[in-house]
Structures are given as C-alpha cells and as structure tokens.
Amino acid sequence: MGFKKLIKSKKILSLLAVFMLTGTNLVMAQTTVATPAATDDKSAMWMGAGYYVLLFLLLCVVIAIVGKILKVYDLTRQIQSKKELNWNNLMAGICLVFLLFGLYGAYWSFTVQGSMTLPEAASAHGVKIDEMFTVTTVITMFVFFVTQILLFTFLFRYKHSDKRRAFFLPHNNTIEKIWTILPAMVLTILVVFGFFTWQEITNSADAKGDRPSLNIEVTGHQFAWELRYPGKDLKLGAINYKLVTGNNQLGIDFKDRNSFDDLRADTMYLPVNRSIRLNIRAQDVIHSCYMPHFRVQLNAVPGLPTFFKFTPTITTADMRNRLNNPDFEYLLYCNKICGGIHYNMKKIVRVVTEAEYQQWIAKQKPYLTDALRKDLGMPVTTPAPVAAPKDTTANKRLALNN
Ligand SMILES: [Cu+2]
C-alpha cells in the first residue's frame, strides 16, 4: 500500500484516533493516581500506560477471533444444510451486553472517580456552587440513564424480523416540540439558577450595615504568589508596574498615602466568617488563582486586575478535626501551566478566628522597608544607635566577629 493510500485509509485513521484517545486518557489517569514512589520514576507511568494499551489490543484480537470462529461455525452449518446463524439475534444480544457493561462502567466511574472530586466546601458561596453542581449532575444523569437504557433495549426489542415491517415516520410535530421545549426549559432553569449564583458571587458592593470586606492582594509572578495586606486604614495603596524595583517588587506607588501602612505576608491568613475581597494581579504571564476548598478560581492576567469575593466558613483547626488530619492546610495554587516551575506556585492559607487574625496581622512587617525608604528618598524610621549598647556580651561577640 502506497504512503498516500495509507494516509487516506479511513480504517487506519480511525484506529490511530482511538489509540491516541485511549493513550492520552491512560497517561493522564496514571499521573493522577501515581503513588509517591511512582511519581519519581516516570518509566513506571509509561509501563502502566503500555500495559493498558496492550490489554486493549489483546481485547481487540479476542473479539476478532470470536467473530471469525462464529463465521466459520455459520459456514459449516450452511455446508451441512442446517439453519444459518441468526446474526440479527446475535447483534441484538451484544447490544444488551454492551448496555450492562456500560452501566457498570458508569457506576464504577461514580464510585471510584467520584471520590476524587473536590473536598467539602469551606466558603459560603462554595456550598451554593456545589448545590448547583449536584442538581446539574442529577438531571444529566437521569437523562443519560433513561436514554441509554431505552436506546439499547429498543435495539434489542426491535431487532430485524422477517415477520415485521418497520414503521416509517417521516415527521411528527408533537415529538419535535417535546424534545425541543423540554430540554430548553431545563437548560433555561439551570442557566438562570447559575446566573443568579454567579451574580451573587461577583457582586462587588458590600451590603448596607455589613462590615466592609477585607481587601487582600495576591500577585502572581513566575513562580510565586506575593501577598499584600492593608494596614490600619484597611485600604491598599495604588500600584504602577513602572515603579517595580528590587526593593519595590510589587511596584507600589508611595505617592498614595494608603500605601504607607501596607503589609507583606508569607502565609495567607483569613478571618473566619468575614467577607474577603481577593484582588488578583499578575506581573509576567497569565496565572490562575485557585483555592479549591473555597471554590475560588480566577485568572491572574497582567495589566488586568480582577477580584473575587468570598467568605471562609470553616477554620483550619475545625477542618483538621473534621478530617482527623493534624497536618491539613488550605492551599492557594496556580491553576495555569505558566512555566517550568509552575508546580511551585503554592501558598498556605490559614482560616483563623478574628482574635487570632488580629494577633497575626499585628506582627506582620510593613512593605515600606528602610531600604525602600532610602530608594524613595524618604526619612528612615529606625533611629541610628546613638549610645553604645549596654550588653557587654554582645559587645564581646561583635569584637570577636570583627
Ligand atoms: Cu502560575
């Protein structure tokens, strides 16, 4: 067969597509379920994928052999002038077997892979998103099971028979109306439901009488997240990318007085049951701010500041008790493959009580360091030591160091 013919061969192309699809799925599945020992050793992953590809090939060969055996059996019956094999009955039976295997596959997927879905929602809107997800899943699964069962049982029930003629139904307006209006109605309800939930989540104005949201800024760059908290004024100072320097990595504009008391933090502390307004920025490429427990995810786009408002409802300590895991931590990830060390963009998030939060925030260091003050020509706050230190041991140590 010439190369051109090989390329044009539909059989070869479809076989290739099936292999690629199965191969990719298998490789992905291997990566997610890989044990810690296996993650270091990539060969184990490829061996696992190869094993399943071979298993698939073996299954194809077995099916082909069974088909050939049946064909030979059929021919021998014909030679012996016995009744021919009823291929229609056979195919109808295979349809029923396929239905049973398919249903078991769906059940397996729910029970095994279902446990890999998101953990319990730890934010107020997260519970609503989960409700929406459950409603959508229940409706689509109901339709899935009903249509699949009907499809394959009808194939079985109405298999070809010489005694029966097929009923020709070229057009029926009632059926057309039912299968257009019913899904349209269900989809409209789901979309409207989703629209209101999303509107509630993205509503930027704080409700009257409520405590204003706590502004926290998270900036993504290759390959870390930087955090900025407002000082006592609860306002974050302005930012200008042109002002980025070694000492002013975020490019904070210190002409804006709100920026004077801004704080830097390593861990993201969030007071429980308080509305948080997460201001999201990026400095180089597109990152994605992702906190799965809080059902928060929004892209961090350079030049396009965005925000996400949410209210954490379960403290880290409570979650540790619930999960019976003393090492549990909420995490902030980057959910956009943004470069080689993307996996490193991870930050610990701790949800604490209001009192614990106040204690923690009081200990955070100001962004405006002395080095930055010098750069900006501002007076340095720390007074230079005037008198000699009284601690003699320190003096001795200093002398030794010199
Ligand atoms: Cu990233």
Side-chain angles (χ1 to χ4, degrees), residues 228-245:
R228 183 162 65 122
Y229 277 74
K232 285 194 178 113
D233 60 356
L234 294 177
K235 282 179 191 157
L236 287 164
I239 273 199
N240 184 346
Y241 73 94
K242 289 178 188 163
L243 300 173
V244 172
T245 60

Side-chain angles (χ1 to χ4, degrees), residues 32-33 104-120 130 133-134 137 141 295:
T32 33
V33 295
Y104 176 74
Y107 165 77
W108 178 86
S109 178
F110 267 100
T111 47
V112 177
Q113 293 177 328
S115 61
M116 297 177 195
T117 50
L118 286 169
E120 183 185 353
D130 285 5
F133 187 79
T134 312
T137 311
M141 281 306 111
R295 308 294 190 263

Side-chain angles (χ1 to χ4, degrees), residues 220-225 284-289 300 333-339 341-345:
H221 64 85
Q222 287 174 319
F223 293 97
W225 292 108
D284 35 35
V285 296
I286 300 177
H287 300 272
S288 180
C289 177
Y333 299 93
C334 174
N335 203 13
K336 192 71 71 185
I337 300 175
C338 56
I341 317 171
H342 150 78
Y343 60 86
N344 216 24
M345 286 187 71

